[in-house]
Amino acid sequence: MINFKKKILKYKKFLIAYSGGIDSTVLLYKLLEIKKKIKIKIRAIHIDHQIFKNSKKWSKHCKNICLKNNIIFIKKKIKIKKKNIESQARKKRYKIFKKLLLPNEVLLTGHNLDDQCETLILSIKRGSGPKGLSGIAEKTIFYKNILIRPLLKFSRETIKKWAILKKLKWIKDPSNNDLSYDRNFLRHKIIPILTKRWKFFKKNCLRTSKLISNEHKILNKLTDPIINKNLYKNNSLNIKKIKNLNFKLKCFIIRKWIYLNKKKLPSFKVLKNIIKNIIHNKKKKNPKIVFKKYEIWNYQNNLHLIKKKPQIKNYIIFWHKPFKKLILPKNFGSLKIKKNKNINKKLYIRKPKKKQIVIIKFFTNKKIKTKKNIKKYKKVKKIFNEYKIPPWKRNKIPLLFYDNKFISIIGIIVTKKKYNIKEKKISIIWNLKK
């Protein structure tokens, strides 16, 4: 009825994601059957989401099953906010799995054929591309380990029959009946109608996902050399040659580049926006768009995906005790004065006078004369351009003022006018938190 021995035969160590539900319970007992014939090591991890009153009972149930069968049991608690519960829970679970997996240990989860079918329909609803339509992978690389879903070819009905036959006990999660979740709505209201009319609907969902997955792999093989050739160490993507490619190929490359960077898949609408307003924008010098929690910039013919940071452009900070460390707002690091400790002597600054007010700003329209360029006054923007400072970093760089007189762009230049060799010199160290 259920046989997945061949799928895991070459592995010896397993960590089972054990919720106590019917799927993970069947997976656990099937592995115990294999253990009787082959020498393998099994650990089980149970995540308590702390959402339901019975969660402690569920944890206890899982622990007892593991103790009874000599399986190492691990329990971890997570806290979840009210919004996007499913997504939050999944991310936190997998983060824990990643931390706890041992070298050469295989992670096993209880996803089944019905899960695959639901995932495909949800991907269609979202308008997903080939990556999303590939569905749930039966076997995949999970950071430094491998993740296998041995029950993926078996329906929920088949799994339940085996569990009843073996007289197994499992947890019934009441949230599985909550129709406000899209997956549950499909499970209880839509898929039963489809399978009643077309008996092989679920299996064909699996088949479709596999076909799309295979085609997606071929596309990856074709585009990987293009991406690798144009990808820099800082994960920016050179678009000089890519911009001349076919529109659909361009979409696939940009989509994959975003996924490689942040594991987020943009919609087709976002991709069109990137190509039109970022890659082929001739009006703006450094165009950008906002994508979820990120900004995508075209800077010097390179695409950069940058996490959005709070704006501190208009902040003014009075450094009342300049010889004590100053913590900058919004996790932008700290400033500390040191005597003659700067590697670059050109960045030495004269010590502030006793009555002078030391001020830190992040923006100014004032023009300054630098030590390097004695004749001309320059805007800060022009200096940033000369030093090739990307636009998304500019309003984060601290600017030093004594009273209202511009002294330094910290770590970059010191003004010529206020640089006095005869007086005692200091340097300001900016420790930036990433």
Side-chain angles (χ1 to χ4, degrees), residues 222-236:
L222 291 170
T223 55
D224 277 350
I226 300 169
I227 293 171
N228 293 336
K229 196 175 179 180
N230 294 284
L231 193 68
Y232 293 124
K233 285 182 180 179
N234 65 353
N235 285 331
S236 65

Side-chain angles (χ1 to χ4, degrees), residues 15-16 18 43-48 62-63 66 71-76 96 100-101 105:
L15 177 67
I16 297 179
Y18 182 39
R43 297 195 304 155
I45 178 162
H46 175 81
I47 309 293
D48 181 357
C62 293
K63 187 180 179 180
C66 289
I71 295 168
I72 295 167
F73 177 77
I74 305 158
K75 178 190 166 183
K76 292 289 175 183
I96 292 168
L100 291 175
L101 275 163
E105 190 173 42

Side-chain angles (χ1 to χ4, degrees), residues 18 33 104 109 115 124 132 138 152 206 217 251 274 280 312 384 413 415 434:
Y18 182 39
E33 282 188 357
N104 301 317
T109 64
D115 294 320
I124 293 167
E138 193 171 29
L152 202 60
L206 180 66
K217 283 172 185 175
C251 281
I274 292 167
H280 293 290
I312 57 169
F384 283 149
I413 62 103
T415 60
K434 290 183 181 179

Side-chain angles (χ1 to χ4, degrees), residues 19-219:
S19 65
I22 189 166
D23 301 319
S24 61
T25 300
V26 166
L27 182 59
L28 184 79
Y29 277 94
K30 283 299 297 180
L31 211 61
L32 285 168
E33 282 188 357
I34 293 167
K35 193 182 177 185
K36 289 174 184 177
K37 298 172 185 178
I38 304 166
K39 193 177 179 182
I40 57 171
K41 290 181 180 179
I42 307 169
R43 297 195 304 155
I45 178 162
H46 175 81
I47 309 293
D48 181 357
H49 297 80
Q50 302 183 88
I51 297 172
F52 301 105
K53 291 177 182 179
N54 292 328
S55 66
K56 285 183 180 178
K57 286 182 181 179
W58 297 347
S59 297
K60 195 176 179 182
H61 164 84
C62 293
K63 187 180 179 180
N64 290 338
I65 295 290
C66 289
L67 287 171
K68 187 181 175 182
N69 292 284
N70 295 317
I71 295 168
I72 295 167
F73 177 77
I74 305 158
K75 178 190 166 183
K76 292 289 175 183
K77 290 181 180 180
I78 57 171
K79 285 184 180 179
I80 297 168
K81 293 175 185 176
K82 288 182 180 179
K83 288 184 179 179
N84 299 319
I85 292 171
E86 284 181 290
S87 177
Q88 277 187 74
R90 184 174 60 254
K91 284 176 185 176
K92 290 191 176 186
R93 281 198 305 270
Y94 280 90
K95 199 174 180 181
I96 292 168
F97 299 156
K98 182 193 169 187
K99 281 183 182 179
L100 291 175
L101 275 163
L102 302 172
N104 301 317
E105 190 173 42
V106 176
L107 176 64
L108 300 177
T109 64
H111 293 88
N112 58 47
L113 183 62
D114 292 62
D115 294 320
Q116 181 72 293
C117 183
E118 291 155 13
T119 300
L120 179 63
I121 295 171
L122 288 170
S123 295
I124 293 167
K125 184 222 38 159
R126 286 192 290 265
S128 298
K131 175 74 179 171
L133 295 171
S134 296
I136 305 166
E138 193 171 29
K139 184 180 177 182
T140 186
I141 293 166
F142 183 71
Y143 299 97
K144 293 179 181 179
N145 297 73
I146 290 169
L147 165 59
I148 299 176
R149 300 174 175 101
L151 300 177
L152 202 60
K153 286 183 180 177
F154 303 100
S155 68
R156 194 171 283 122
E157 189 183 348
T158 303
I159 290 165
K160 191 175 181 180
K161 279 179 183 177
W162 193 87
I164 293 167
L165 183 71
K166 297 291 178 177
K167 296 178 181 178
L168 303 182
K169 290 180 181 179
W170 63 89
I171 292 160
K172 291 176 183 177
D173 185 346
S175 70
N176 288 334
N177 297 317
D178 186 349
L179 298 182
S180 65
Y181 295 119
D182 287 345
R183 191 173 284 275
N184 290 342
F185 175 71
L186 285 174
R187 187 177 298 172
H188 298 292
K189 296 291 180 182
I190 305 299
I191 293 173
I193 296 169
L194 296 171
T195 50
K196 191 177 180 181
R197 185 171 180 91
W198 301 299
K199 288 180 181 179
F200 295 100
F201 181 78
K202 290 177 189 176
K203 284 187 178 179
N204 284 343
C205 282
L206 180 66
R207 183 171 172 268
T208 299
S209 289
K210 275 192 173 182
L211 288 169
I212 296 169
S213 178
N214 290 337
E215 288 184 7
H216 187 246
K217 283 172 185 175
I218 292 165
L219 268 171

Side-chain angles (χ1 to χ4, degrees), residues 247 251 267-278:
F247 175 78
C251 281
S267 66
F268 183 65
K269 189 180 176 181
V270 171
L271 287 170
K272 277 173 72 178
N273 193 7
I274 292 167
I275 290 166
K276 184 183 175 182
N277 298 313
I278 301 292

